[in-house]
Amino acid sequence: YECDGTRLTEMPATLQAFQRCKPVYESFPGWKDEIRGVRSFSKLPAAVQKYLEGVQALAGIPVMAISTSPERGDIISRTDFF
């Protein structure tokens, strides 16, 4: 959020301050490539990798698991952070 011209890293402490806040949106390019069944981060399209890297940067924590379809086994488990 942004409040009174300042970007916040935490939610405001009061409802009055929160009412003056505006959400800050981040945009990422989309992709049309099929990712169903991909089980390796390096095999994901570049746009997907950049999106996930952006999510990590914004959240401040690593993305550890990525589901690439509704199928239970179509998950990329990332352990390369440790």
Side-chain angles (χ1 to χ4, degrees):
Y1 285 91
E2 184 177 285
C3 187
D4 301 330
T6 302
R7 192 152 187 183
L8 305 177
T9 57
E10 297 179 1
M11 294 299 290
T14 67
L15 183 57
Q16 291 79 15
F18 184 73
Q19 289 175 334
R20 295 190 316 272
C21 294
K22 296 178 184 173
V24 177
Y25 295 97
E26 298 285 336
S27 296
F28 296 92
W31 60 88
K32 294 191 184 245
D33 303 298
E34 178 64 55
I35 63 170
R36 180 183 293 267
V38 175
R39 294 188 182 166
S40 168
F41 185 83
S42 64
K43 292 187 178 176
L44 288 169
V48 178
Q49 290 182 28
K50 287 184 183 192
Y51 169 75
L52 292 168
E53 289 164 0
V55 168
Q56 289 179 147
L58 290 167
I61 58 171
V63 173
M64 301 298 295
I66 304 150
S67 176
T68 59
S69 85
E71 298 301 319
R72 183 170 248 180
D74 289 344
I75 294 178
I76 299 170
S77 293
R78 299 206 54 204
T79 58
D80 54 332
F81 298 107
F82 304 106

